[in-house]
Amino acid sequence: MDDPWQKAEDGRRLASEIPGARFQPIEGASHWIQQDAPEQFSQALLEFFADL
């Protein structure tokens, strides 16, 4: 995860405050994860929805 705007610890904290949320960092992706790593982002979404 490479994001000067939002740090990993912020994401972890936010996920811990939202019931059912999951923090999943993607290496080399910034705050614009869907643009930086579209395949990994899509896979993470599919895995999340499959677990519901």
Side-chain angles (χ1 to χ4, degrees):
M1 192 175 143
D2 182 24
D3 191 344
W5 294 84
Q6 193 123 33
K7 303 298 179 197
E9 54 270 12
D10 296 335
R12 286 186 184 91
R13 187 185 75 248
L14 183 59
S16 75
E17 296 172 359
I18 300 171
R22 175 187 320 174
F23 177 76
Q24 184 172 346
I26 294 182
E27 197 63 38
S30 72
H31 191 73
W32 296 101
I33 189 169
Q34 66 276 19
Q35 180 178 330
D36 294 341
E39 293 83 14
Q40 296 94 325
F41 176 68
S42 296
Q43 186 61 39
L45 282 177
L46 290 172
E47 290 171 7
F48 176 80
F49 289 129
D51 289 343
L52 294 180

